[in-house]
Amino acid sequence: MIRETISDKQAISMMTMFIIGSSIVLGVGSEAKQDIWLAIIIGILFASIIIFVYVKIHSLFPEKNLFEILNTIFGKYLGKFISLLYIWYSFHLGALVFHNFFQFIKVVSFPETPEYVPLVFMGIVCIWVVKEGMEVLGRMSFFFTILLTIIIILVISLNSSVMNINNIRPMLYNGIKPVLNSAFGIFSFPFAETVIFLGAFSFDKNKNNPFKIYYISLLFGGTIILLVSLRNILVLGCSFLESLYFPAYTAVELIEIGEFIQRIEVAVSVVFLYAGFIKISSCLFCTLKGIENLFNLDSYKVIAAPVGLLMMTFSCSLYESIMEMQEWAFMVYKYYAFPFQVIIPLIILIAAKIKLKKQNSS
Amino acid sequence: MKFKRALLISIIFNCLFLSGCWNYREIEQFSIVSGLAIDKSENKYILTAEIIESTGGRDAKTSTKLISSEGLTIFDALRNMIRYPGKKLYFSHTKVIIISSETAKEGMIPVLDLINRDIEPRYTMKILISKNIEAKKILEAKSNSEIFCYTLDDMIDAQKNLSAAPEVEVWEFINDICKEGISASLPIVTLEMINDKSTPKVEGTAVFKGDKLIGYLNGKDTKTFLFIKNKIKGGLLTKKVDIDNNSANISLEIFGNKTKISPKFENGKLLIDISTDTDVSIGEISGDLDFSKEEIREKIKSYFEEELENQIKDLIKKLQTEYDSDIFGFGSTIKIKMPSLWKEIEPKWDEIFKTVDVNVKSKINIKNTAYTSKPIKIGD
């Protein structure tokens, strides 16, 4: 097995892109209405607790990824079974992002183009970058992070002319319950999805600091999502925002500064394209690492293409329509993802502690 | 090495010559729509579109043409339009939508749904209501070869310095319909005869309740309405003033305005405080009034302040009694400032709005007197 390492900076930017990924375009937490910003902050707080568990697992077993850890803790059979669950989760998540991606393209720009056309182009690049390895993906994410942060901040500042502060008032009009509910949704999509990196990363003990990587990227990605969501609600107002599939796109559509600066919605597509690409590649990477470990392969690279293609075909058959996608992403997903994001990592951590204690005492 | 070089060359070649979109279309295959007029008669929508036709070549010219069609729904009518030019219509450059008052009286949601749902029309288009006239008549009033709908768009833009009609974009209108505690309003367009030629005129406000048109405000009331909405950007205040037996017509030019609406709840009664703070300059005095004296200026100010206060009170009274539609957004202001009270009164807001008391305080600051410090005096 080849061990690849990346620097902290690259890991941070990769995880930030992963968090921004599809959530920036789909929009998060619209059920909290005008308190969306509060919901996001609470979501980040929730996530910072569970991320502590992920960091702990990483630091207990340095230089090992999730699947190797599972094998050492739970033994051959149970370990492989839980690995299988995580392989499914990351495979499915990658397919979901693929689906979001081509639905977005289909709705906003090419309604008549068959969906597999954008899908194939995206998929080939993802397979390619994964074959090239973690380092290439890391370096690419670093470059994209700088570029996308500039684009996002520029677009938000251009949008300031149509913002209306009254759209986020009054605070907590519908009580705290919908806010907590949507905070839970935001916690599972996108913040706690970083559980994927338990499988994708295997940190170098001397080079990497998992605590720093996880928390800085949570804060950075969280801030960007907070800014974008706040922009959306300030520009569109909650009742209009709720009726849109892609609120960010519409918010940017309203930018019209003179006859000169207008029609810059493509900036949103660019952000989604790059961040979505990193997210899909990370999911694919995690799946491949899992399969490599499951079958004791020499290198995951031999199966990159078949698994990538499977992911693409799977994404086509996920939903019948965009309505189903919306319902799944905002109603079902948070409950479906809860075991993968919270329960199993907690069990792993507790089991690991017990195991290590036993080892030390014996 | 040789293989790699061949691959590279073939990739570059493919990128240059074989790339393109799936549904590749040239600009000639589209009819670009600059504006749309929507009428309704006997359950059928009649759509009239102004399409831009451009000719290529050295002396490229743009001309426009009107086409119309009908259908059971708006989308149906739009697709039926294809028959005449034989091209698909393209809506991303549409700037104006005119809707006849008769259609608007039956409700705007059926009309707006497609515009809201489809990706091509932009949310920054402007909507106009054609008062007591078919919307397509407005488009037919076009005189020369200019793109008429773009001229209409400029006419709406020019209201910034006139304040005789509100400027409303599609998304703002949809937002006003969706929101609680505010009713929507739109600008009006009518035809006026100038030199035996009918010319469009943008003036006045169409008042909505829910998504249905229920009444109109004239140009003067619209200015007052914009004052209350804090949307005044320019315009004039004119009045005949009598000071010390000297009477003169004065025009004040508005440079800025700030309106504050603050609801109060005292002794079980709702009171709405409106205070306006307007920066003006003396633009014109048709008479002998020495405005360099402070007391004269104070008097001018108080004249105008009183006038504005009365206008605001009258307009609110008018809407409470005649139309019973909260286009000022008092309800949403109450929601923001007193959320707990709003929860109580929301179901009965229609009733309460009719009886709400308002308290108006206007303040006018004369910032300058333009280029001259004294009026023209007649020497003996």
Side-chain angles (χ1 to χ4, degrees):
Chain A
M1 260 181 239
I2 319 153
R3 199 158 285 290
E4 289 165 299
T5 53
I6 57 172
S7 72
D8 279 6
K9 211 162 59 178
Q10 286 163 355
I12 288 169
S13 46
M14 204 161 138
M15 217 183 275
T16 312
M17 283 294 101
F18 181 89
I19 289 172
I20 296 173
S22 42
S23 39
I24 202 165
V25 176
L26 281 178
V28 285
S30 57
E31 63 202 283
K33 296 195 189 251
Q34 62 268 47
D35 300 317
I36 196 164
W37 55 277
L38 200 64
I40 293 173
I41 292 171
I42 297 174
I44 295 174
L45 288 179
F46 283 171
S48 62
I49 300 169
I50 196 67
I51 274 180
F52 185 71
V53 176
Y54 304 164
V55 171
K56 214 66 203 161
I57 295 173
H58 263 306
S59 47
L60 281 179
F61 301 94
E63 317 210 346
K64 276 188 177 169
N65 66 31
L66 176 73
F67 306 105
E68 293 160 323
I69 296 169
L70 283 170
N71 280 351
T72 40
I73 300 174
F74 295 110
K76 210 173 166 190
Y77 296 105
L78 190 58
K80 289 215 162 162
F81 175 69
I82 300 176
S83 296
L84 211 59
L85 287 180
Y86 271 97
I87 291 167
W88 160 255
Y89 178 64
S90 63
F91 179 75
H92 186 204
L93 184 62
L96 288 176
V97 183
F98 256 134
H99 194 96
N100 293 346
F101 172 74
F102 71 70
Q103 271 302 358
F104 174 74
I105 296 219
K106 203 176 168 77
V107 169
V108 304
S109 38
F110 309 136
E112 286 159 38
T113 309
E115 45 213 38
Y116 58 79
V117 174
L119 188 68
V120 162
F121 283 99
M122 186 74 153
I124 287 173
V125 182
C126 287
I127 292 169
W128 185 10
V129 78
V130 169
K131 265 187 127 116
E132 292 297 323
M134 195 67 155
E135 285 171 65
V136 177
L137 194 58
R139 255 177 266 142
M140 242 172 153
S141 334
F142 183 63
F143 171 70
F144 285 160
T145 309
I146 297 170
L147 186 75
L148 298 196
T149 314
I150 293 171
I151 292 178
I152 289 168
I153 290 178
L154 204 70
V155 169
I156 289 178
S157 52
L158 284 175
N159 238 337
S160 59
S161 61
V162 275
M163 285 179 189
N164 181 1
I165 188 78
N166 284 339
N167 283 338
I168 56 165
R169 290 159 75 192
M171 215 173 122
L172 290 179
Y173 179 69
N174 298 312
I176 192 81
K177 223 177 150 194
V179 177
L180 286 179
N181 204 356
S182 94
F184 176 46
I186 293 165
F187 160 77
S188 68
F189 168 70
F191 296 125
E193 279 177 353
T194 42
V195 71
I196 291 288
F197 287 100
L198 268 180
F201 285 156
S202 46
F203 291 118
D204 194 312
K205 204 176 181 179
N206 309 317
K207 240 173 104 184
N208 300 119
N209 179 357
F211 184 83
K212 193 175 126 194
I213 292 172
Y214 272 89
Y215 278 95
I216 290 184
S217 38
L218 175 69
L219 218 62
F220 190 24
T223 316
I224 290 181
I225 288 189
L226 181 65
L227 282 178
V228 169
S229 302
L230 205 57
R231 187 270 315 264
N232 290 350
I233 192 88
L234 282 173
V235 169
L236 299 170
C238 51
S239 39
F240 190 28
L241 179 124
E242 273 179 303
S243 69
L244 299 165
Y245 285 122
F246 308 113
Y249 196 80
T250 312
V252 176
E253 199 182 312
L254 300 181
I255 296 177
E256 211 164 49
I257 298 170
E259 292 279 296
F260 179 56
I261 302 174
Q262 52 173 344
R263 296 163 200 254
I264 49 173
E265 299 97 279
V266 72
V268 176
S269 311
V270 166
V271 170
F272 187 32
L273 191 73
Y274 288 152
F277 160 68
I278 302 287
K279 191 164 180 177
I280 295 170
S281 305
S282 308
C283 292
L284 185 58
F285 199 83
C286 176
T287 317
L288 292 173
K289 278 278 177 191
I291 296 174
E292 176 196 55
N293 192 272
L294 193 66
F295 297 111
N296 289 323
L297 298 175
D298 289 337
S299 163
Y300 65 87
K301 286 178 186 172
V302 283
I303 47 162
V307 173
L309 288 172
L310 262 179
M311 204 185 244
M312 279 151 65
T313 15
F314 183 53
S315 75
C316 285
S317 57
L318 271 177
Y319 317 114
E320 295 273 306
S321 62
I322 191 169
M323 292 84 82
E324 248 178 74
M325 172 183 117
Q326 185 87 348
E327 198 187 325
W328 168 267
F330 293 114
M331 311 299 279
V332 187
Y333 181 77
K334 49 189 170 190
Y335 303 110
Y336 157 77
F338 195 70
F340 298 106
Q341 293 173 344
V342 180
I343 297 174
I344 303 178
L346 271 176
I347 295 172
I348 294 173
L349 184 66
I350 294 165
K353 285 265 182 195
I354 295 168
K355 185 120 192 170
L356 286 178
K357 218 173 211 176
K358 260 190 194 163
Q359 265 176 8
N360 286 350
S361 58
S362 61
Chain B
M1 204 54 219
K2 226 175 191 176
F3 171 73
K4 273 196 175 170
R5 193 172 290 170
L7 190 71
L8 192 71
I9 289 170
S10 71
I11 286 174
I12 292 171
F13 181 80
N14 282 345
C15 287
L16 284 178
F17 297 105
L18 296 180
S19 58
C21 307
W22 187 271
N23 292 52
Y24 163 76
R25 284 186 206 124
E26 280 287 2
I27 185 120
E28 301 100 62
Q29 284 166 285
F30 279 117
S31 301
I32 297 170
V33 178
S34 59
L36 200 62
I38 303 173
D39 289 297
K40 196 175 182 186
S41 79
E42 295 160 18
N43 292 325
K44 277 203 165 172
Y45 287 101
I46 301 169
L47 258 64
T48 312
E50 186 190 40
I51 55 172
I52 304 172
E53 294 190 321
S54 21
T55 51
R58 254 167 170 264
D59 38 14
K61 264 186 202 156
T62 51
S63 56
T64 63
K65 208 173 239 176
L66 290 183
I67 52 171
S68 75
S69 72
E70 54 178 46
L72 200 60
T73 61
I74 303 271
F75 205 5
D76 189 26
L78 279 181
R79 277 293 150 94
N80 287 339
M81 250 180 211
I82 292 180
R83 285 179 198 149
Y84 162 66
K87 303 172 191 169
K88 209 173 159 189
L89 301 178
Y90 186 62
F91 284 92
S92 283
H93 293 278
T94 311
K95 280 197 174 171
V96 182
I97 289 186
I98 306 166
I99 296 163
S100 73
S101 51
E102 292 306 311
T103 317
K105 272 175 194 157
E106 287 172 31
M108 290 289 279
I109 287 176
V111 180
L112 281 176
D113 186 74
L114 180 76
I115 296 161
N116 183 26
R117 192 181 299 277
D118 202 75
I119 195 78
E120 262 181 27
R122 297 181 67 80
Y123 282 111
T124 48
M125 288 184 306
K126 289 176 183 125
I127 318 184
L128 285 164
I129 295 287
S130 70
K131 184 180 171 185
N132 300 334
I133 189 172
E134 281 178 306
K136 70 180 206 193
K137 288 268 167 20
I138 308 276
L139 287 186
E140 280 163 4
K142 153 192 158 65
S143 52
N144 42 11
S145 65
E146 90 240 298
I147 301 171
F148 180 69
C149 286
Y150 289 3
T151 318
L152 262 181
D153 183 55
D154 291 342
M155 285 165 82
I156 304 168
D157 263 345
Q159 292 295 338
K160 278 184 188 125
N161 298 321
L162 192 62
S163 299
E167 189 186 344
V168 183
E169 293 179 349
V170 171
W171 67 281
E172 292 172 305
F173 184 71
I174 294 173
N175 234 341
D176 281 352
I177 288 184
C178 300
K179 253 194 208 162
E180 11 179 295
I182 189 165
S183 294
S185 51
L186 283 178
I188 294 173
V189 61
T190 45
L191 283 182
E192 201 184 35
M193 296 300 278
I194 297 176
N195 301 337
D196 291 337
K197 242 173 44 195
S198 49
T199 319
K201 183 172 108 181
V202 178
E203 190 183 278
T205 309
V207 180
F208 284 78
K209 187 171 177 75
D211 72 326
K212 291 185 174 64
L213 175 76
I214 53 163
Y216 307 99
L217 300 181
N218 61 21
K220 202 166 177 225
D221 283 345
T222 301
K223 195 189 285 170
T224 319
F225 164 59
L226 291 176
F227 259 113
I228 303 173
K229 285 266 275 187
N230 195 15
K231 283 209 172 149
I232 284 272
K233 292 196 183 102
L236 296 180
L237 291 170
T238 50
K239 193 179 163 54
K240 191 170 181 193
V241 170
D242 256 318
I243 299 171
D244 307 334
N245 299 326
N246 268 336
S247 75
N249 286 327
I250 299 183
S251 312
L252 299 182
E253 190 175 359
I254 302 166
F255 280 102
N257 175 58
K258 212 170 169 68
T259 304
K260 270 192 192 142
I261 299 177
S262 39
K264 274 183 197 152
F265 194 70
E266 277 167 1
N267 308 328
K269 207 154 167 41
L270 197 64
L271 183 78
I272 290 177
D273 264 338
I274 299 174
S275 67
T276 64
D277 189 353
T278 321
D279 288 344
V280 297
S281 81
I282 296 179
E284 188 187 2
I285 293 183
S286 60
D288 185 12
L289 270 180
D290 188 4
F291 49 79
S292 57
K293 282 185 194 142
E294 183 161 0
E295 72 242 36
I296 303 256
R297 282 208 305 275
E298 286 300 321
K299 270 183 187 156
I300 295 175
K301 262 162 60 174
S302 65
Y303 260 104
F304 276 96
E305 280 166 1
E306 201 192 324
E307 162 113 344
L308 190 60
E309 281 169 16
N310 287 335
Q311 277 174 358
I312 291 176
K313 274 182 198 154
D314 289 347
L315 181 67
I316 293 173
K317 192 100 244 159
K318 187 177 172 182
L319 275 144
Q320 282 176 331
T321 51
E322 273 180 49
Y323 299 137
D324 150 40
S325 163
D326 182 12
I327 51 174
F328 312 110
F330 289 156
S332 61
T333 315
I334 294 170
K335 187 183 169 183
I336 288 164
K337 300 253 167 86
M338 306 168 165
S340 53
L341 178 71
W342 176 247
K343 264 185 196 160
E344 260 174 55
I345 62 171
E346 200 202 326
K348 309 174 278 181
W349 175 241
D350 278 354
E351 291 301 308
I352 293 169
F353 174 69
K354 280 189 221 166
T355 58
V356 148
D357 282 330
V358 283
N359 202 356
V360 189
K361 184 96 204 72
S362 291
K363 189 164 175 254
I364 284 174
N365 314 309
I366 299 179
K367 289 286 178 191
N368 66 46
T369 58
Y371 205 56
T372 47
S373 64
K374 282 203 168 80
I376 304 166
K377 267 202 175 140
I378 303 164
D380 289 322

